[in-house]
Amino acid sequence: MEETTYRVKINGEEKQYRKGTLYREIAEEYQPQFQDDIVLVLFNNRLRELGRKLKKDGELSFVTTREKAGRKAYRRSVTLLMQKAVHNLAWEDKKQVAVRVEHSISQGYYCELTGETPDETYLMRLKEEMMHLAERKIPIRKESISTDEAVALFRELGMHDKERLFSYRRSSKVNIYSIDHYMDYFYGYMVPDTGYLKYFELKQYEDGFVLLFPDKDTRAAAEFAPSHKLFHVLKESAEWSAKMDISTVGALNDAVAQGRIRDVILVAEALMERKIGTLAEQIAAQPDKKFVMIAGPSSSGKTTFSHRLSIQMMAQGLKPHPIALDDYYVNRVDTPKDENGNYNFECLEALDIELFNHDMSALLNGERIELPTYNFRTGEREYKGIFKQLGKNDILVLEGIHGLNGKLSYSLPESSKLKIYISALTQLNIDEHNNLPTADGRMIRRMVRDARTRNISAKQTIAMWDSVRRGEEQYIFPFQDEADIMFNSALIYELAVLKQYAEPLLFEIDKGCPEYMEAKRLLKFLDYFIPVPSEDIGKNSILREFIGGSCFNV
């Protein structure tokens, strides 16, 4: 009987492989051609784990740890390895110790143990156990079980956050991963065995530790460079979520199902208003502050935040004047270009720094000046008779991506500036071992707003997102610790509301598009949430900047 073979196109070359060939075998054949480890394949534009078998003709490419999907698979797999090692040490020590993955920090995940605080000795033992498991090249097995079975399994294992999560799952199947009988659920793909997991580090930090992953060098753990200010904002948000008993998606779904979501919305909005009010009080108590400089990554809600802060400052007797740094763009023909020859509107040099400093210094000295307006249609600066002069209680609220960069406002005294970093730092986790990436929440916010206000499709938003992220990493994140204050604009309920706006946009993306993989991942992610209507959300909410209905001109 003739053996069945399939034709597979790789790098433009057609090859033949027998039926049942593992993708891993093909990857091992091509690995010498790559500097980074192959951890997944893309077959007919669909991600596949290396442990799966070839079942038909098609086109295949390789996904390494340098690419986003591969990097996530590697991090996911190392996290499971760490959990298994914690489990083994607990068994050895005869203690009830488990690990909770809290949030991203530096190039890793901040984790805490239930039952004890890890010291250096424990972390040394934990790393040794992880390395031992990696050296054994234990298969990471995947089993698809029914949702009902998953609920029962996690109830039996005492993983009640996962039991809650899958009680609301519409999908009939759940993928369970295991290392040597240690089982857990993970949101996304894994590597085939622990032998792939060679590069990681553990660092003691605060009340827990950080599990560090590779960054640009994919074959070495990144250096630990935490933002302490950012960490404490995240910790404060997590503590508030815990007090509300809404630390995970399953807990949020409980609140929806039990009819408590209106109270959750009201409390979340009240907490944010209180924080903005407290910030306005701090500004009013420092009369030398004349420039409130607000910066943050895309879709952080900077515009609504600026308006709400201005209102609270007015309640303190101040007279705030909003100024968009975008109005200080140089004329388009003078804009610097990137390596591809395209205008780089995100670099600092795209702004007329000298004019900005001249105008702000003049205002600080009590002079009356005419402010520019940038015409985005013509790409030129215009003057439309907008004059400003600062009195005793006047204060400028400056919003733009370079607000924290000292080079922007080099001529202004530091004592005259208050710098605020704002970002949507999601405080929810999917469950105790699957954190919810902050960037995903911001991308969904932007997708919904782009479709509503700019006629930009979800496909286009996804296509440009990596470029947006590169700009943030170059021009915003390096300056976040320059901020005097960090503000978290995420709302604990928001993804349940954004779901109903985002899903139809994502379903429009054709399966043949390069953006389809990301759309599919986001749809699976949104499937965890019970949808929440927007009727109870106030018109001044930051979320209104994205879904519409804001009382501000956003």
Side-chain angles (χ1 to χ4, degrees):
M1 186 174 178
E2 189 175 338
E3 187 177 37
T4 302
T5 60
Y6 295 118
R7 293 189 299 275
V8 181
K9 191 174 183 180
I10 304 174
N11 296 334
E13 178 188 2
E14 188 175 289
K15 301 196 69 172
Q16 290 196 350
Y17 293 97
R18 70 183 185 281
K19 178 183 179 181
T21 298
L22 294 173
Y23 291 121
R24 177 177 186 166
E25 296 174 54
I26 304 174
E28 288 170 351
E29 178 186 343
Y30 281 84
Q31 181 61 65
Q33 299 180 22
F34 292 84
Q35 288 186 332
D36 311 292
D37 294 343
I38 298 170
V39 288
L40 300 170
V41 298
L42 192 61
F43 188 75
N44 291 342
N45 203 35
R46 298 190 70 179
L47 281 175
R48 290 286 181 261
E49 291 175 319
L50 296 183
R52 293 191 63 169
K53 296 178 180 179
L54 185 64
K55 295 181 179 179
K56 58 184 176 182
D57 299 336
E59 187 167 351
L60 183 145
S61 59
F62 301 101
V63 179
T64 72
T65 49
R66 185 164 297 279
E67 295 155 273
K68 183 163 64 175
R71 185 167 61 248
K72 287 183 176 181
Y74 185 86
R75 291 185 171 200
R76 218 174 275 127
S77 305
V78 174
T79 304
L80 178 60
L81 179 76
M82 180 267 295
Q83 290 172 222
K84 166 63 174 170
V86 169
H87 174 79
N88 287 359
L89 293 187
W91 180 267
E92 182 181 314
D93 297 340
K94 296 180 173 55
K95 290 182 178 179
Q96 293 292 321
V97 176
V99 64
R100 181 180 177 90
V101 180
E102 294 285 354
H103 44 253
S104 297
I105 180 171
S106 188
Q107 289 297 324
Y109 294 155
Y110 174 71
C111 308
E112 289 187 354
L113 298 179
T114 59
E116 69 175 74
T117 300
D119 56 19
E120 290 294 344
T121 301
Y122 178 88
L123 292 181
M124 183 174 66
R125 290 178 62 212
L126 181 59
K127 183 179 179 181
E128 287 175 353
E129 181 64 18
M130 290 174 69
M131 293 173 66
H132 176 63
L133 292 169
E135 288 165 1
R136 288 172 57 194
K137 298 182 179 180
I138 306 167
I140 298 178
R141 303 192 185 279
K142 180 179 181 178
E143 183 183 2
S144 186
I145 63 177
S146 73
T147 303
D148 288 343
E149 286 177 298
V151 170
L153 171 66
F154 291 124
R155 183 184 301 124
E156 181 183 343
L157 294 174
M159 296 181 178
H160 301 299
D161 56 322
K162 292 179 172 63
E163 178 189 352
R164 270 172 140 175
L165 181 70
F166 291 113
S167 295
Y168 299 101
R169 189 74 186 273
R170 289 182 296 184
S171 175
S172 60
K173 292 289 184 180
V174 174
N175 292 325
I176 305 297
Y177 289 93
S178 64
I179 296 177
D180 197 18
H181 306 297
Y182 176 85
M183 293 180 289
D184 202 352
Y185 167 77
F186 272 86
Y187 161 57
Y189 300 104
M190 293 280 195
V191 303
D193 69 49
T194 60
Y196 283 70
L197 310 176
K198 308 167 190 172
Y199 317 111
F200 59 85
E201 192 54 80
L202 301 172
K203 291 288 184 182
Q204 189 175 19
Y205 187 67
E206 295 287 335
D207 297 324
F209 64 94
V210 176
L211 172 60
L212 284 166
F213 307 108
D215 187 20
K216 291 180 175 61
D217 180 356
T218 65
R219 292 186 171 176
E223 292 293 320
F224 184 43
S227 167
H228 303 298
K229 292 178 183 178
L230 190 64
F231 173 81
H232 286 290
V233 171
L234 286 163
K235 186 175 182 181
E236 180 188 42
S237 297
E239 288 171 352
W240 179 81
S241 300
K243 288 177 183 176
M244 292 283 292
D245 191 26
I246 304 180
S247 299
T248 64
V249 176
L252 178 65
N253 288 338
D254 278 350
V256 179
Q258 295 164 8
R260 295 186 286 115
I261 193 62
R262 178 177 292 180
D263 287 345
V264 171
I265 291 171
L266 291 172
V267 171
E269 295 288 354
L271 178 66
M272 186 168 289
E273 190 65 25
R274 189 181 74 186
K275 287 182 176 179
I276 296 172
T278 300
L279 178 53
E281 289 177 10
Q282 293 173 5
I283 295 169
Q286 302 176 75
D288 56 332
K289 302 298 183 188
K290 287 296 182 181
F291 305 99
V292 176
M293 313 189 80
I294 301 169
S298 174
S299 303
S300 295
K302 295 183 287 292
T303 306
T304 299
F305 172 76
S306 300
H307 283 295
R308 287 176 65 173
L309 179 59
S310 294
I311 288 171
Q312 287 286 355
M313 285 194 288
M314 283 189 273
Q316 295 291 327
L318 299 175
K319 295 179 181 178
H321 303 275
I323 294 179
L325 292 179
D326 287 358
D327 283 328
Y328 279 89
Y329 270 134
V330 298
N331 291 336
R332 189 171 298 155
V333 294
D334 299 320
T335 303
K337 294 184 178 180
D338 62 20
E339 64 277 8
N340 299 317
N342 300 317
Y343 287 124
N344 185 353
F345 295 108
E346 295 184 331
C347 69
L348 180 62
E349 292 72 23
L351 298 176
D352 191 333
I353 301 170
E354 295 303 319
L355 178 65
F356 174 79
N357 279 273
H358 171 272
D359 287 356
M360 297 304 110
S361 295
L363 286 169
L364 191 61
N365 292 329
E367 298 174 30
R368 183 173 183 264
I369 68 162
E370 185 178 7
L371 293 171
T373 299
Y374 189 78
N375 187 323
F376 284 89
R377 185 177 60 82
T378 64
E380 294 183 348
R381 184 186 303 140
E382 298 175 348
Y383 285 89
K384 297 182 175 181
I386 302 172
F387 288 90
K388 282 280 188 292
Q389 186 173 20
L390 296 186
K392 178 183 177 183
N393 295 320
D394 290 285
I395 189 165
L396 298 180
V397 181
L398 305 164
E399 183 251 304
I401 65 171
H402 297 290
L404 306 183
N405 187 341
K407 291 181 180 179
L408 171 72
S409 54
Y410 69 88
S411 69
L412 302 178
E414 286 301 313
S415 60
S416 69
K417 296 181 280 190
L418 183 80
K419 297 180 180 180
I420 302 174
Y421 175 79
I422 177 173
S423 187
L425 304 167
T426 311
Q427 59 262 59
L428 270 184
N429 281 350
I430 295 172
D431 58 44
E432 64 184 8
H433 298 143
N434 288 270
N435 70 357
L436 202 161
T438 291
D440 282 356
R442 290 195 292 109
M443 178 161 61
I444 290 169
R445 276 183 171 190
R446 177 161 177 159
M447 187 183 302
V448 171
R449 183 185 61 192
D450 281 355
R452 182 179 63 82
T453 64
R454 303 174 185 175
N455 198 30
I456 294 175
S457 67
K459 176 180 179 296
Q460 291 171 290
T461 300
I462 291 172
M464 72 175 73
W465 188 246
D466 283 345
S467 175
V468 170
R469 294 279 290 151
R470 283 193 297 271
E472 292 170 351
E473 288 169 5
Q474 187 173 359
Y475 301 119
I476 298 176
F477 298 149
F479 303 100
Q480 61 187 13
D481 276 342
E482 299 296 317
D484 301 298
I485 292 165
M486 286 194 173
F487 189 88
N488 185 3
S489 70
L491 293 155
I492 199 166
Y493 67 85
E494 69 176 74
L495 286 164
V497 175
L498 289 166
K499 171 189 173 89
Q500 61 198 315
Y501 297 90
E503 281 185 336
L505 303 174
L506 290 165
F507 277 121
E508 287 179 357
I509 298 177
D510 187 82
K511 289 185 177 181
C513 295
E515 295 76 23
Y516 173 73
M517 273 195 309
E518 185 71 350
K520 182 181 177 184
R521 184 184 72 83
L522 291 171
L523 282 167
K524 182 180 178 183
F525 162 66
L526 289 169
D527 192 47
Y528 291 116
F529 294 86
I530 297 178
V532 170
S534 60
E535 284 79 0
D536 292 323
I537 301 171
K539 293 186 181 298
N540 71 338
S541 173
I542 278 178
L543 195 55
R544 288 287 178 190
E545 183 172 328
F546 305 96
I547 65 173
S550 176
C551 60
F552 302 119
N553 182 21
V554 294

